[in-house]
Amino acid sequence: MQRKYFNRFLLAAGAAAAMGWPSAQAQTTEISFFYPVAVGGPIAKAIDGFATDFMKANPGIKVNPIYAGTYQETIVKALTAHKSGTPPVTSVLLSTDMFTLIDEDAIVPIDNFVKTADDKAWLGSFYKAFMMNSQTGGKTWGVPFQRSTVVMYYNKEAFKEAGLDANKPPATWAEMKDAAAKLTKKDASGKVTQWGVQIPSSGFPYWLFQTLTTGNDAILMNDAGTQVKFDDPKVIEALQYWVDLGKAGVHPPGVVEWGTTPKDFFEKKVAMMFTTTGNLTNVKANAKFDFGVAMIPGNKRKGSPTGGGNFYIFKKSTPAQQEAAFKFIKWITQPERAAEWSMDTGYVAVSEKAYGTDALRKYGRDFPPALVARDQLPVSVAEFSTHDNQRVTKALNDGLQAALTGTKSPAQAMKDAQAEADRILRAYK
Amino acid sequence: MSARAAGHQSHASIHAWLLLLPALVLLVAFTHWPAVSTFVDSFYSTPKGSRAAVWVGLENYRAMNDDPVFWKAVRNNLWFAGATIPLSIGLALVMALWVNERIAGRAFLRMAYFTPTVLPMIAVANIWLFFYTPQYGLLEQVTGALGLPSHNWFGDQSTALACITLVAVWKEAGFFMIFYVAALQTLNPSLREAAAIEGASRWYFFRRVQWPLLMPTTLFVLVNAVINGFRMVDHVFVLTRGGPDNASTLLLYHLYEVGFKFWDTAYASAITVVLVVVLASVALFQFFVLDKRVHYK
Amino acid sequence: MSAAPTMDRAQRLAYNQPTWLDTVAAWLLALLWILPLAYAVWTAFHPTEYSTRFTLLAPLTLDNFSRAWEAAPFARYFLNTALLVAMILAVQLVLATLAAYAFARYEFRGKNVAFALVLVQLMIMPDILLVENYKTMSQLGLVDTLVAIGLPYFASAFAIFLLRQTFLGIPKELDEAARVEGATAMQTLWRVYVPLARPVYTAFALVSVSFHWNNFLWPLIVTNSVKARPLTVGLQVFSSVDQGVDWSIITAATLMTSAPLLIGFLLFQRQFVQSFMRAGIK
């Protein structure tokens, strides 16, 4: 009760203050914008630069970019703020957070703001693979911004040493296992000094696992995010392949740390690594050897999941703020800006038109590995995401780690994960 | 009691309460009130979007009872606390006994032991990540030179928790050492002279003279160590995120996951309540039992 | 039987001093303990490729520091952290002194209940009550201010507990003597109790400063902008990025941000330990 009065008092005080100064400020719409930093370097400056340019072009809008930490910290901040009443107007969050944000009633569909033909053309310009995680139930909830996929980086020098063709990276599971066997080096005591291949499994193993399930022609969940298929024989087979790489002694044992994987590659402790395209700039700067970037090898088909962040617009802000946020989102995802962002960060530019810009065409010519991710997009699938996403994902992650550390068989691990996921998702059917 | 004395008494009472007031108001506003509302929340369902919270009784506690990860976190945390508390206090004591004496390089030793305290855990955890990294990590460079086999420390269910524990001990021991050093320096030098005259062994001197006199300090340090045994999770965020397969998850980390990743605030409230009850009873036990037994001069 | 007669006082005082074995063990442990800092110094001053390789002739560079400095407004973060730590400590000391005095020297109704209430806070970590406290802050309109970071910590049960113990140990006669001379309760507190408890204040200050200098989760949640963000949150820029760990820049940032505390301790360690002396900590 007292809290309510106190709130009213605040409101009244606020209103009085607002009426006291009916100045030009009334025409300025201020939008707060949360963003995570998922890649190193002065990203905050790049974002501030975008905001400044946008405000110059749109004097009525004040964009207030707020660096909020990692993706996980950003959603914690945004949702905590949402629950207590003052969320940001717009935020970049993981595309997989879509169901969570819908279930919390935190965001509004982007379709609400798409009115003109120009708006529609803009919304249609994004790569299909990126829209899979941005739409559900016939509505668009997110706009692709810093998106990625998983690719395979390989050490060309190691390939030559092992007698492999450095310009023909493995394209199938069988080829990859063979190549990995040839690339695995041991010292006199039998200790491995260079592993053939490394697929990290800490933090978000499900994402890397999707590179295997997609290649085995299995899709882990339905579009509505209410049903998972972990116990599908094709999924178990994919996990078996991963576990077998370890058993064959061509992949490091146990759970492999995501954070150190690029360094393992630079240190020549591993010849082929699976990691995000967002690492390209990093690898280019730090690999002291000739390296290649390849599409993920497949079994029954090729493919990889997409990943990364989308723009969302929050419900608890004024219509004027939402419109202003939409304007900003549309502005920042235009081809030239998307191209610039892609070159700054190493992420995949979000539309075909961005790759048509002079800047990105030249970049691609000078540095062809930058185009591998784009070429992989036609066969890419949505990143794993369901209702109660983090909890279902954890069930899968735990199962994967149990299988990789050898405490459960792949079949058992996936069966347990399926049972847990079914239990959690019962409420959403 | 005369009317005057009673009047004096109530006057003093008001005075005392006035002195307490600022602190109590803040304590109530930011500890007790949120704790109580957390307790109330634990009997309701999690509000999701437009669905308001409804009374569910003990449902959240039942879910907790059935949650294998919760029990894993409890076991891990008991293990973690059970290892960090004695190890960090024991090491702190040994360090203090060393730097309290005229030992070569005393200033350096004191500084070395104390450094973990001033380094932020968030950053330092990344350095530890390097130490434990397979193949080229520092530990591996040492064990490799000794001809030992390579080991994936964080990637193995049997070693992850122990590695996390070690980082915590490293972080805490030097901090506790400071308190022991201070206490040791207050001990009367004549005690040592007496020991010399008696020809008492070092161990005897420690056990019969130093240790009993350090008791209040030990209690103080113990309170801190117990709290930290359940509070230190910053390094888990960086190093293992509770993995592999929950092998290194701790209660507060599990609570963070439930509350801020799964957004199941009601269930998180129930876990909070359990954690608070356990810790509060430790606090009260220390106050009412140990406080009576350890005498302050 | 007794070795005493052959010893002079200095020898007796040196009785049972550490042996060479202790010295070796103490040094080994110290080297182990300082290893992360040593690694940080090595890595921060060398190019990235030497972050895992330790050759004496590796070239030196300050590049990592300038990269780290570039990536975040550290000067502002320093200022914020310094202000924050000073503010929290000052308020904690004043409030705890008053409360501890009440507990130590007054008899009043509800004293035990009040003390139990204080003790409970000793164990309930503000970190746990994040969501509720965030709600309160936003109702007070304090989100994204230094005050909001500090508020939940202003009343420190720990400080109250410590000071109460110390005050209880101060002979009542001193108190009575001051009263006889006509001093009020507050004057007695200020002239008798506070000076005698000085070591405890220093000890608590050390605990409080090192805790809040390194506190992370709550400041992360409650701050939004450079104007209120402390160093630890700024540090987070470098860790856990998609690209994996870049030890060079992390160590450079770590050294930059912990330098004030490290140097402070180096300079004042004698004073620190001395103020812990004379039965300060109970």
Side-chain angles (χ1 to χ4, degrees):
Chain A
M1 271 317 265
Q2 277 177 339
R3 245 187 208 188
K4 219 174 209 166
Y5 284 126
F6 185 67
N7 281 347
R8 276 195 202 147
F9 168 75
L10 275 188
L11 270 180
M19 281 185 227
W21 296 281
S23 66
Q25 279 188 332
Q27 285 138 25
T28 311
T29 311
E30 186 169 341
I31 53 171
S32 49
F33 159 40
F34 283 12
Y35 68 95
V37 167
V39 291
I43 295 301
K45 278 190 186 144
I47 294 271
D48 285 341
F50 278 137
T52 314
D53 289 351
F54 174 75
M55 287 189 282
K56 242 180 251 158
N58 299 272
I61 303 173
K62 188 178 178 313
V63 180
N64 185 18
I66 294 157
Y67 160 66
T70 62
Y71 275 118
Q72 172 56 21
E73 287 150 11
T74 311
I75 187 158
V76 168
K77 248 167 122 57
L79 272 187
T80 313
H82 164 73
K83 282 162 188 278
S84 58
T86 47
V89 177
T90 182
S91 176
V92 172
L93 298 167
L94 283 175
S95 62
T96 49
D97 288 327
M98 176 174 69
F99 289 114
T100 305
L101 291 164
I102 294 171
D103 291 341
E104 292 288 349
D105 204 19
I107 52 171
V108 290
I110 301 296
D111 313 275
N112 290 4
F113 312 101
V114 176
K115 289 165 194 140
T116 65
D118 181 47
D119 290 347
K120 284 199 184 101
W122 164 77
L123 198 59
S125 70
F126 296 102
Y127 280 112
K128 282 276 161 319
F130 290 146
M131 294 313 278
M132 282 187 230
N133 272 116
S134 317
Q135 297 169 321
T136 188
K139 284 184 181 153
T140 305
W141 297 89
V143 178
F145 178 57
Q146 48 181 37
R147 298 299 299 268
S148 55
T149 88
V150 187
V151 290
M152 186 176 81
Y153 297 77
Y154 63 99
N155 182 337
K156 286 192 172 175
E157 285 171 15
F159 265 56
K160 278 176 207 151
E161 276 172 43
L164 293 160
D165 184 350
N167 293 314
K168 200 171 157 290
T172 66
W173 284 8
E175 283 173 28
M176 182 166 91
K177 204 168 168 182
D178 281 350
K182 285 182 187 139
L183 288 162
T184 301
K185 285 201 284 199
K186 289 182 181 164
D187 64 11
S189 64
K191 204 155 93 178
V192 175
T193 53
Q194 174 180 286
W195 295 99
V197 62
Q198 177 161 320
I199 307 173
S201 45
S202 79
F204 30 90
Y206 75 95
W207 196 47
L208 283 306
F209 183 51
Q210 274 190 284
T211 62
L212 299 173
T213 55
T214 310
N216 210 26
D217 202 21
I219 296 295
L220 289 176
M221 74 293 180
N222 66 351
D223 288 343
T226 55
Q227 175 68 44
V228 299
K229 292 163 212 160
F230 299 158
D231 57 358
D232 181 341
K234 286 189 284 190
V235 174
I236 294 169
E237 195 190 347
L239 181 52
Q240 187 69 54
Y241 175 74
W242 198 356
V243 171
D244 285 347
L245 285 177
K247 280 193 187 147
V250 299
H251 181 286
V255 165
V256 176
E257 173 60 38
W258 164 271
T260 56
T261 295
K263 192 77 185 175
D264 299 346
F265 185 65
F266 305 149
E267 293 291 319
K268 298 184 193 162
K269 296 297 179 194
V270 55
M272 298 184 280
M273 67 160 173
F274 282 29
T275 186
T276 169
T277 50
N279 244 319
L280 190 57
T281 317
N282 182 26
V283 175
K284 192 179 163 192
N286 290 307
K288 302 286 172 213
F289 46 82
D290 197 13
F291 71 94
V293 178
M295 285 165 68
I296 299 292
N299 191 30
K300 299 194 165 78
R301 55 162 283 194
K302 290 207 138 197
S304 160
T306 63
N310 278 350
F311 268 106
Y312 297 98
I313 296 179
F314 278 75
K315 200 168 194 172
K316 283 187 189 165
S317 38
T318 66
Q321 286 177 318
Q322 292 174 343
E323 287 290 348
F326 177 73
K327 212 168 179 182
F328 176 63
I329 294 167
K330 199 181 152 193
W331 181 88
I332 205 170
T333 49
Q334 291 303 315
E336 311 80 60
R337 248 92 56 188
E340 196 182 327
W341 184 244
S342 171
M343 288 182 290
D344 280 353
T345 60
Y347 279 103
V348 188
V350 287
S351 67
E352 196 133 21
K353 280 187 189 147
Y355 281 99
T357 57
D358 293 342
L360 209 48
R361 272 227 295 270
K362 183 179 177 313
Y363 188 67
R365 258 199 317 274
D366 297 346
F367 187 50
L371 299 179
V372 173
R374 182 199 63 176
D375 298 338
Q376 192 171 250
L377 283 180
V379 292
S380 292
V381 300
E383 182 175 3
F384 180 76
S385 166
T386 64
H387 287 279
D388 216 341
N389 184 45
Q390 300 264 15
R391 193 172 254 169
V392 176
T393 303
K394 183 167 167 60
L396 176 55
N397 285 344
D398 288 352
L400 293 173
Q401 293 192 334
L404 288 167
T405 50
T407 52
K408 283 182 189 170
S409 72
Q412 187 61 44
M414 287 300 97
K415 231 169 51 210
D416 292 353
Q418 178 74 33
E420 175 68 4
D422 284 344
R423 193 184 64 76
I424 298 163
L425 287 172
R426 217 183 303 141
Y428 297 91
K429 292 264 166 67
Chain B
M1 193 190 287
S2 73
R4 197 139 156 244
H8 185 76
Q9 180 87 21
S10 75
H11 187 76
S13 222
I14 294 169
H15 206 143
W17 277 104
L18 280 177
L19 289 172
L20 279 180
L21 199 63
L24 275 186
V25 165
L26 285 166
L27 279 176
V28 168
F30 297 104
T31 302
H32 300 113
W33 169 247
V36 168
S37 67
T38 303
F39 180 68
V40 173
D41 284 350
S42 73
F43 296 104
Y44 284 87
S45 68
T46 299
K48 272 247 159 96
S50 44
R51 268 185 294 150
V54 292
W55 175 267
V56 293
L58 290 173
E59 190 48 49
N60 289 313
Y61 293 92
R62 229 168 276 141
M64 183 189 306
N65 194 38
D66 295 340
D67 178 2
V69 182
F70 170 76
W71 289 110
K72 179 103 198 173
V74 169
R75 279 196 304 276
N76 284 349
N77 215 142
L78 289 177
W79 202 97
F80 176 79
T84 47
I85 295 169
L87 275 179
S88 56
I89 295 181
L91 273 176
L93 190 56
V94 171
M95 288 169 172
L97 288 171
W98 277 331
V99 301
N100 187 49
E101 310 290 347
R102 260 169 273 151
I103 197 167
R106 187 158 95 162
F108 167 77
L109 292 178
R110 200 147 60 187
M111 202 268 297
Y113 295 151
F114 189 72
T115 45
T117 308
V118 294
L119 298 173
M121 195 59 148
I122 267 296
V124 128
N126 279 293
I127 296 177
W128 279 93
L129 184 64
F130 167 69
F131 288 0
Y132 284 124
T133 294
Q135 292 189 306
Y136 56 86
L138 196 67
L139 194 59
E140 205 81 325
Q141 292 189 13
V142 174
T143 57
L146 298 174
L148 296 167
S150 169
H151 190 76
N152 185 355
W153 297 97
F154 284 132
D156 185 331
Q157 297 209 24
S158 56
T159 50
L161 185 59
C163 293
I164 293 284
T165 308
L166 208 67
V167 177
V169 170
W170 170 82
K171 179 83 181 156
E172 293 211 290
F175 183 55
F176 297 153
M177 170 199 74
I178 289 289
F179 298 100
Y180 276 123
V181 169
L184 281 171
Q185 303 222 332
T186 67
L187 298 189
N188 197 331
S190 60
L191 288 171
R192 185 188 289 276
E193 288 189 68
I197 291 163
E198 293 290 319
S201 77
R202 237 170 115 196
W203 170 242
Y204 186 87
F205 179 62
F206 169 74
R207 201 162 50 92
R208 284 307 175 87
V209 180
Q210 288 177 314
W211 176 244
L213 288 170
L214 288 174
M215 220 39 207
T217 311
T218 304
L219 177 70
F220 168 88
V221 166
L222 189 65
V223 174
N224 267 280
V226 172
I227 303 172
N228 287 347
F230 292 89
R231 179 165 62 195
M232 290 190 37
V233 289
D234 283 9
H235 60 312
V236 179
F237 282 78
V238 178
L239 293 173
T240 60
R241 292 164 219 87
D245 190 17
N246 303 309
S248 64
T249 198
L250 298 177
L251 265 176
L252 190 55
Y253 187 78
H254 183 53
L255 175 64
Y256 170 83
E257 282 203 316
V258 171
F260 293 98
K261 280 177 100 173
F262 305 163
W263 296 102
D264 193 346
T265 45
Y267 181 34
S269 302
I271 300 179
T272 310
V273 169
V274 170
L275 198 53
V276 163
V277 166
V278 170
L279 289 176
S281 43
V282 172
L284 293 179
F285 174 79
Q286 278 173 335
F287 174 57
F288 286 113
V289 180
L290 295 181
D291 198 35
K292 297 242 150 52
R293 292 178 48 195
V294 180
H295 290 288
Y296 304 104
K297 52 176 182 181
Chain C
M1 192 190 97
S2 154
T6 58
M7 290 190 214
D8 59 19
R9 183 153 194 272
Q11 274 174 317
R12 288 201 301 272
L13 279 178
Y15 183 70
N16 277 339
Q17 285 285 327
T19 60
W20 66 269
L21 210 67
D22 287 271
T23 313
V24 171
W27 273 82
L28 276 179
L29 194 69
L31 291 178
L32 203 67
W33 244 241
I34 208 166
L35 208 54
L37 182 70
Y39 173 74
V41 172
W42 168 271
T43 310
F45 287 101
H46 289 100
T48 317
E49 58 265 39
Y50 292 96
S51 67
T52 56
R53 224 167 277 117
F54 310 103
T55 45
L56 269 180
L57 295 172
L60 292 167
T61 175
L62 288 174
D63 210 35
N64 299 318
F65 287 94
S66 64
R67 273 200 301 154
W69 187 261
E70 283 259 297
F74 274 108
R76 181 67 207 233
Y77 293 161
F78 266 117
L79 182 70
N80 290 342
T81 306
L83 285 175
L84 176 74
V85 168
M87 171 184 71
I88 293 179
L89 183 61
V91 180
Q92 279 176 335
L93 291 182
V94 172
L95 294 188
T97 302
L98 297 179
Y101 188 49
F103 281 128
R105 281 296 176 258
Y106 285 85
E107 286 308 324
F108 55 94
R109 278 176 68 158
K111 181 173 166 178
N112 282 334
V113 177
F115 193 55
L117 280 177
V118 170
L119 274 190
V120 162
Q121 198 246 12
L122 203 61
M123 286 291 167
I124 302 182
M125 303 148 264
D127 295 5
I128 292 183
L129 305 166
L130 226 59
V131 180
E132 294 292 332
N133 280 339
Y134 187 91
K135 272 187 205 162
T136 312
M137 292 306 165
S138 72
Q139 272 156 0
L140 295 172
L142 288 176
V143 171
D144 200 24
T145 59
L146 287 177
V147 177
I149 309 179
L151 257 178
Y153 299 99
F154 278 172
S156 164
F158 191 46
I160 297 174
F161 181 77
L162 277 181
L163 286 170
R164 170 187 167 269
Q165 299 294 9
T166 315
F167 289 172
L168 279 177
I170 292 170
K172 262 207 162 101
E173 295 78 39
L174 284 175
D175 188 311
E176 278 152 16
R179 300 285 176 112
V180 167
E181 281 171 24
T184 64
M186 291 315 283
Q187 281 166 336
T188 318
L189 172 61
W190 181 246
R191 287 195 208 135
V192 178
Y193 286 83
V194 173
L196 284 173
R198 198 180 288 147
V200 178
Y201 285 107
T202 317
F204 177 75
L206 180 66
V207 176
S208 173
V209 168
S210 67
F211 180 84
H212 291 285
W213 192 279
N214 293 328
N215 196 13
F216 172 67
L217 201 57
W218 171 245
L220 175 80
I221 296 281
V222 84
T223 61
N224 281 337
S225 64
V226 173
K227 74 180 164 71
R229 195 176 285 150
L231 278 169
T232 42
V233 183
L235 253 183
Q236 180 66 2
V237 183
F238 309 106
S239 36
S240 67
V241 292
D242 271 7
Q243 295 169 341
V245 236
D246 182 348
W247 284 302
S248 311
I249 196 167
I250 291 173
T251 50
T254 308
L255 287 185
M256 273 183 343
T257 52
S258 19
L261 278 193
L262 264 180
I263 294 168
F265 180 72
L266 274 180
L267 291 179
F268 297 112
Q269 62 162 330
R270 189 165 293 277
Q271 283 91 324
F272 269 138
V273 175
Q274 272 166 1
S275 42
F276 277 79
M277 279 166 51
R278 289 181 294 130
I281 299 305
K282 295 268 157 111

